[in-house]
Amino acid sequence: MVTSPRLEKITPSNFDAAIALKVSPGQDHLVAPVVKSLAEAYVHPDVAWPRLILEGDRVVGFLMAFFDIDFAGDGSGTDIRSGLWRLNISAGEQGRGYGRFAVHAVASEIRRRGGTRLTASWHPGNDGPEGFYLGLGFRLTGEMSGDQRVGDLELA
C-alpha cells in the first residue's frame, strides 16, 4: 500500500515513539532531541506547534513550528514571525523527502494563519542543513539566532 506522509499531534499514545526518534549519528550537535522540543512546547504552549511526521504507521520525523513570536525579543512587537523551530528526520529516513514535506506543511499552516513568510534557523557548517534550506528557496537574512544562521522563505 502506498501512503503519503502526514502530520500527527503528539499524544500520550505516541509520546514514547516521538522521544525515541533519533537523527543520524554525527547530527546530534545540529538539532536538539525531541524530548527537549516537547519540554519547550510545554512551556511555550501559545506559540509552539509540535508534530510527528508519519509514513503509514511509521514515525519518520518530528517538527516543531512557532507562530507569531516577537523574533527580536525586545518586546517592541515590530518583528513578529512564524516558522520552523525544529526539524528532526529519523536516521535511515533522510533523503526521502520528509524534510521537504515538513517545510511545506509548516508553510501551509503559516499561510492558513495569514502569514506570508517562514523563518528557520540552522547550524552553519559543511555538516549542517544549510544546503537543504537554501535548496528549498530560503534566503539568508544575515541574522543569527544564538549560534544559528537565520533564513526566510517568502510564501507569497
Side-chain angles (χ1 to χ4, degrees):
M1 175 168 89
V2 175
T3 61
S4 295
R6 70 182 192 287
L7 298 182
E8 190 171 295
K9 289 181 181 179
I10 310 299
T11 65
S13 64
N14 64 24
F15 174 79
D16 287 333
I19 65 170
L21 188 146
K22 303 288 184 228
V23 295
S24 292
Q27 293 179 333
D28 292 335
H29 69 286
L30 298 172
V31 65
V34 173
V35 70
K36 180 178 181 183
S37 297
L38 293 177
E40 289 171 327
Y42 177 80
V43 298
H44 300 286
D46 295 337
V47 298
W49 195 68
R51 297 292 188 268
L52 278 178
I53 305 166
L54 288 102
E55 179 74 41
D57 293 332
R58 194 172 81 255
V59 173
V60 297
F62 169 84
L63 69 80
M64 187 160 71
F66 61 89
F67 299 107
D68 301 326
I69 66 163
D70 178 3
F71 197 79
D74 61 7
S76 68
T78 59
D79 189 12
I80 304 300
R81 299 189 202 182
S82 298
L84 186 59
W85 188 346
R86 198 79 32 76
L87 178 60
N88 307 56
I89 302 298
S90 183
E93 301 292 352
Q94 296 176 12
R96 297 183 179 179
Y98 299 122
R100 179 179 297 273
F101 165 79
V103 170
H104 287 285
V106 171
S108 292
E109 184 63 20
I110 290 171
R111 279 190 202 100
R112 189 186 72 74
R113 294 170 182 240
T116 59
R117 172 178 64 169
L118 189 164
T119 298
S121 62
W122 55 83
H123 285 280
N126 294 336
D127 63 342
E130 186 164 280
F132 165 75
Y133 287 109
L134 295 178
L136 289 176
F138 281 83
R139 295 184 188 252
L140 292 170
T141 65
E143 301 166 293
M144 296 292 286
S145 178
D147 62 349
Q148 297 186 5
R149 287 187 178 145
V150 177
D152 281 341
L153 180 65
E154 295 301 323
L155 304 178

